[in-house]
Structure formats: C-alpha cells, structure tokens
Amino acid sequence: MSKVDRELFDEKSSLQEETELNLLENKLIHKFIRSKWYPGIFQLFVGIIFTFIVFELLTGPSEAPHNFGTAGTWVLWWPILPILLFLTGRFWCAICPFGALSDVIQKFVGSKKPVPKFLKKYGVWIIDAMFLAITWSDHVFGVVESPRGFGTLLLLITIGVVFSGAFWERRTWCRYLCFLGGLSGNYSIKIQLCRISLSLDMR
Amino acid sequence: MVNGEKKDIQFDVDVVSGGPNWVVIGGFIGVVSLIIIAAAVKKKKSSK
C-alpha cells in the first residue's frame, strides 16, 4: 500500500471510529453479549419457530394459504430478512437454525476435518447450482408454493447441514454452501447499519 | 338449476390424501441417523 493510500485508509478508519457507535460500551449490552445467554437464547427462539414451521409444512394443511409454514416463511421471514441484513449485518447467521444445528452436531459427533479443496474452489458455483435447482423445481413442481414440497426441500437442506457439521470443521455449510450466507455477505459488506466484529478483548 | 329445474350430477373422483408424506419423513430420519452414527463411529475410532 502506498503512503498516500495508507494515509487515506487511516483517515477513513479514524472517521469511521468517530462516527461509529459501539454498542458494547453500554454495560447492559456488554454483559448480555458476554453472558452464556448470547446467542443461545436467540438460537433457541428461532429454532423452536423453525421446528414448528417444518412440522406444519410436513403435517399441516396441504394448501399454501392455510399452512403457517408457508405463510411464516414467505410472508413473514423472507421480506424481513433483507431488512434484518441491512440493519444488523450478519446477525442472522449467528441465530440461524441451520448454523446452530451444525454447531450442535459438531460438538457431539464432529470429526472437524479441514474443508475440502473442491468446496473452497467451487463452493460458490455449488451455491449457484443449488439456487438454480430450487428455482427450476419451483417452476416445474411448484415446490415453494407447496407446503409438502417446501418441507421436503428444508429437510434436504438439513441433511446437508448435518453432514457438513458431522464431518467438516467449523461452519462449513454456512461458509461455503449456504446461499443466504452469500446474500448476507453482499448486503453487509457496505450497507449494514450494525456491524458485528471481534475485538481482542472479547476473545 | 337448469331452465328452472333442479339437476343433480354425480362425479366419481378420487381425492389424493393431504396427510403427511411418511416416506419423506422416514427417509429423512433414516439418513440423518446414519450420518450421525457414522460420524460418531469415526470420531471414536480417531480418538483411540
């Protein structure tokens, strides 16, 4: 980095620090974030709702307008998600039920092998292929509008999450295979209002 | 009502059941159980 670029970078960092509000300076928030309740309490809440949604999709009314699973996902969660990403960056990833499930599986039976090279190299293409496959199946089979179809799709994703959590390290699914991870990354790079970052004294 | 007369029509229709697909649910539980068991065995072998 040239001297001019460094000066510009330092000036930008300094300006950013002056305008940023560090929520951790609030004692209550700091205490909560450091406590055992975070992010577990959010994960538990989201996990319960997710379980109920899957249950409703698989066993509830087979008509989409009458099924809470379909309504809860596409009418409630999907529109709120971009707003949540804009306001809180990748906070959704911290409380996502798939991420939490991967963590639990890894804790009890995880081998924690390194991420395979093909995932590092082709992960983004696998995400694109999965997204296309879901879009195609929606057009052909009406997967998204069908509670049973959508429930089956969520179960297939859950199988992928369980597999990656059982055999690979950390959150391999989230980092290399989850299309929402890519989406949240794009939203949160530049435009997030709330940034979650790790500081040395929080480790 | 047709021309002021009441008409009855009978259809023989088989309605597909709207209940849960137990094949999908059973398959999911089976696959996940297999993955967890395989991972647990692998972890135990590597820890020895």
Side-chain angles (χ1 to χ4, degrees):
Chain A
M1 194 185 277
S2 68
K3 190 179 175 186
V4 173
D5 287 337
R6 180 165 291 284
E7 284 174 4
L8 281 171
F9 178 79
D10 290 341
E11 189 181 326
K12 187 183 171 187
S13 300
S14 171
L15 181 65
Q16 203 169 7
E17 284 168 9
E18 285 172 19
T19 54
E20 274 183 351
L21 171 66
N22 188 352
L23 292 173
L24 291 177
E25 288 174 1
N26 180 292
K27 285 183 183 174
L28 270 176
I29 294 175
H30 188 270
K31 196 175 172 185
F32 174 66
I33 298 289
R34 294 297 297 265
S35 74
K36 61 181 179 180
W37 298 106
Y38 178 83
I41 193 76
F42 295 108
Q43 289 175 334
L44 183 65
F45 176 71
V46 173
I48 289 171
I49 293 178
F50 175 75
T51 305
F52 179 67
I53 282 177
V54 173
F55 177 79
E56 270 290 295
L57 286 170
L58 295 173
T59 63
S62 50
E63 299 84 27
H66 302 141
N67 190 296
F68 175 76
T70 311
T73 305
W74 300 115
V75 178
L76 262 176
W77 173 77
W78 191 242
I80 287 176
L81 187 64
I83 299 170
L84 193 66
L85 295 176
F86 174 67
L87 291 175
T88 63
R90 301 189 83 152
F91 175 68
W92 169 256
C93 295
I95 64 173
C96 174
F98 289 132
L101 177 64
S102 177
D103 293 342
V104 168
I105 296 287
Q106 197 164 90
K107 185 178 176 182
F108 290 106
V109 298
S111 302
K112 298 177 188 173
K113 292 171 79 175
V115 179
K117 285 179 186 172
F118 79 89
L119 272 186
K120 286 185 181 178
K121 198 173 176 184
Y122 301 112
V124 67
W125 297 109
I126 296 174
I127 291 174
D128 292 338
M130 277 169 37
F131 192 74
L132 285 173
I134 291 170
T135 307
W136 174 81
S137 64
D138 181 37
H139 280 280
V140 173
F141 302 110
V143 164
V144 171
E145 288 176 359
S146 158
R148 300 291 182 266
F150 184 47
T152 305
L153 177 63
L154 287 181
L155 292 184
L156 286 172
I157 293 174
T158 305
I159 289 173
V161 171
V162 169
F163 186 89
S164 67
F167 294 106
W168 296 320
E169 62 178 357
R170 295 165 64 192
R171 285 196 171 188
T172 298
W173 174 272
C174 302
R175 293 186 296 143
Y176 295 98
L177 294 169
C178 179
F179 61 89
L180 277 187
L183 190 71
S184 67
N186 286 334
Y187 272 95
S188 61
I189 284 173
K190 298 286 184 191
I191 63 172
Q192 65 191 356
L193 287 186
C194 179
R195 179 166 58 103
I196 298 175
S197 60
L198 180 66
S199 65
L200 289 174
D201 63 343
M202 288 294 288
R203 284 191 299 180
Chain B
M1 296 283 283
V2 178
N3 293 329
E5 292 179 16
K6 194 177 174 182
K7 295 283 184 183
D8 287 326
I9 302 176
Q10 285 186 338
F11 291 100
D12 292 325
V13 177
D14 289 330
V15 178
V16 176
S17 168
N21 188 331
W22 294 110
V23 173
V24 168
I25 295 171
F28 167 75
I29 293 171
V31 169
V32 167
S33 303
L34 273 173
I35 292 172
I36 291 174
I37 290 168
V41 166
K42 192 179 170 78
K43 186 176 181 180
K44 200 170 180 182
K45 275 186 185 172
S46 61
S47 65
K48 279 185 181 174

